[in-house]
Amino acid sequence: MGDRSIRVLGLDPGLRNMGWGVIDVSGNRLTHVADGVVHSDDRDDLARRLVTLYDGLQDIIRTWTPDEAAVEETFVNKNPVSTLKLGQARGIALLAPAREGLPVSEYPPNLVKKSVVGAGHADKTQVQAMVRMLLPGFQLSKADAADALAVAICHAHHSQTRRLVGGIMAGAAR
């Protein structure tokens, strides 16, 4: 198995701000490619906001041509209406890359934090500091973008392990 570079799109779902980050993964080397936030206007109705998020993600996918996508799972808020709206935004985060034929993986927030910081209950500043350390050249502009890059980093670590184990298992089956 060579060190072919794989481009990963990480997504941090949100209805107002959907963070995104793109990294290239080659072996154990991670390279920052791009990041940002897709915004929807809270004055628009829900359907229009979801279309805005979908269209923004489609533009990102077509511009940066990722090979795989990773989405952070959402947690349950105390407010059921907010939870439902966040779930709908998360649906867009899953749908947009899937419609483009990308494999999409999901990771719980604690696993993302543990993969990046080493502790599942790390705070946002710890995650942002490690993202900057792991991706030289990344300049923090939006917390949502840093969170999305953390999701991409988590995916890079876990997908490499899955590929390695899959290769070993395939070799053992011969």
Side-chain angles (χ1 to χ4, degrees):
M1 242 164 81
D3 277 349
R4 184 183 87 76
S5 183
I6 295 174
R7 183 160 284 183
V8 177
L9 170 64
L11 296 170
D12 179 35
L15 184 57
R16 182 178 295 134
N17 299 308
M18 172 112 39
W20 62 273
V22 178
I23 64 172
D24 283 340
V25 182
S26 182
N28 62 359
R29 185 166 164 235
L30 306 176
T31 306
H32 173 260
V33 175
D35 64 84
V37 177
V38 178
H39 303 281
S40 74
D41 189 336
D42 25 353
R43 294 172 297 200
D44 288 343
D45 63 35
L46 179 60
R48 177 82 253 152
R49 292 176 77 184
L50 294 174
V51 167
T52 298
L53 294 175
Y54 181 82
D55 289 347
L57 290 179
Q58 288 296 292
D59 289 344
I60 291 158
I61 292 166
R62 290 181 181 136
T63 299
W64 299 106
T65 61
D67 300 302
E68 301 174 358
V71 178
E72 185 172 65
E73 293 177 358
T74 54
F75 56 90
V76 177
N77 292 312
K78 290 182 175 139
N79 180 339
V81 173
S82 296
T83 301
L84 183 59
K85 286 181 179 178
L86 182 57
Q88 291 168 327
R90 188 169 171 278
I92 295 299
L94 294 167
L95 174 66
R99 289 285 298 169
E100 293 297 316
L102 301 179
V104 181
S105 299
E106 303 173 70
Y107 299 96
N110 285 349
L111 181 59
V112 171
K113 292 174 185 176
K114 187 172 178 104
S115 298
V116 174
V117 177
H121 295 286
D123 65 29
K124 281 194 175 284
T125 57
Q126 291 172 303
V127 171
Q128 292 167 4
M130 284 304 296
V131 167
R132 277 195 300 269
M133 187 178 297
L134 293 168
L135 299 173
F138 168 66
Q139 298 295 318
L140 178 65
S141 59
K142 300 279 186 197
D144 297 304
D147 291 346
L149 287 166
V151 175
I153 292 166
C154 173
H155 177 72
H157 294 319
H158 289 276
S159 65
Q160 273 188 318
T161 302
R162 280 195 301 271
R163 277 191 277 278
L164 184 60
V165 169
I168 291 169
M169 298 304 284
R174 289 186 205 148

